[in-house]
Amino acid sequence: MGRSHIVAVMTSFITLIPLCLLAQNSPQDYLEGHNIARAEVGINPLLWDNELESHANTFLSKHIVDCLDRVSISPHPMYGQNILSGPSKSLTGAFAVAKWVAQKQNYDYRSNTCIGGNPANCVAYTQVVSKASTYVGCARANCLNGRTLVTCYYHPPGNILGHRPY
């Protein structure tokens, strides 16, 4: 294998790296995870909203330094929000949605409560499957501290006190 062939192969590989990093972070990747969970409980799929994606990016830009793993101090009153931070820049949007959906095991539909009484155990899941929400927009950022932050905004918001998500 000649030197020019090796350089060509390496250049091709290096140009593919950004594409691999984008994998599982497209609007379709976020929608797929949400809508599979919603289909399992018999509710309509969410639609992607670019304005919600813009709000998600604005939130992330405010937390790019420290990658806070909490809902913003003054969330937008018209939107629901899910958020996840991880210790690695390899955390994907698809993985974040899967983590929120995994909270299903902590939700008791009959009593409409989170098992163990801690809302943090299931409110991300109930937002994902809230029939009140029809639109979603999500974003992901690599923070300056080496962590990754993913958030999704929902409209109308779910998790309405006293109402079942579906």
Side-chain angles (χ1 to χ4, degrees):
M1 187 180 286
R3 181 182 160 120
S4 63
H5 185 66
I6 291 172
V7 171
V9 169
M10 289 300 291
T11 302
S12 296
F13 177 73
I14 290 170
T15 58
L16 287 176
I17 290 173
L19 295 175
C20 294
L21 293 175
L22 291 174
Q24 300 182 348
N25 296 306
S26 72
Q28 190 55 41
D29 294 317
Y30 288 103
L31 283 171
E32 182 177 352
H34 280 87
N35 290 336
I36 289 171
R38 294 169 71 85
E40 287 176 359
V41 296
I43 57 174
N44 292 330
L46 290 171
L47 301 171
W48 189 259
D49 185 279
N50 291 328
E51 184 178 337
L52 293 175
E53 178 184 15
S54 177
H55 285 298
N57 276 308
T58 298
F59 173 85
L60 294 178
S61 70
K62 292 177 183 176
H63 298 288
I64 197 76
V65 172
D66 53 10
C67 239
L68 294 177
D69 187 14
R70 60 186 171 86
V71 175
S72 57
I73 292 171
S74 35
H76 197 292
M78 293 178 55
Y79 306 128
Q81 181 183 24
N82 275 342
I83 187 167
L84 181 71
S85 75
S88 163
K89 291 185 178 187
S90 64
L91 172 69
T92 65
F95 179 81
V97 175
K99 288 287 280 186
W100 300 328
V101 171
Q103 289 184 357
K104 179 179 184 173
Q105 67 184 354
N106 300 322
Y107 176 65
D108 179 40
Y109 183 81
R110 197 171 321 141
S111 66
N112 192 31
T113 61
C114 298
I115 295 170
N118 183 355
N121 290 337
C122 76
V123 293
Y125 168 71
T126 55
Q127 175 59 74
V128 167
V129 297
S130 174
K131 67 182 173 188
S133 298
T134 54
Y135 296 96
V136 67
C138 307
R140 174 186 170 277
N142 291 326
C143 299
L144 300 179
N145 65 1
R147 295 179 65 83
T148 297
L149 189 60
V150 177
T151 190
C152 291
Y153 276 78
Y154 303 84
H155 182 72
N159 290 331
I160 300 165
L161 190 60
H163 291 87
R164 295 187 192 289
Y166 51 90

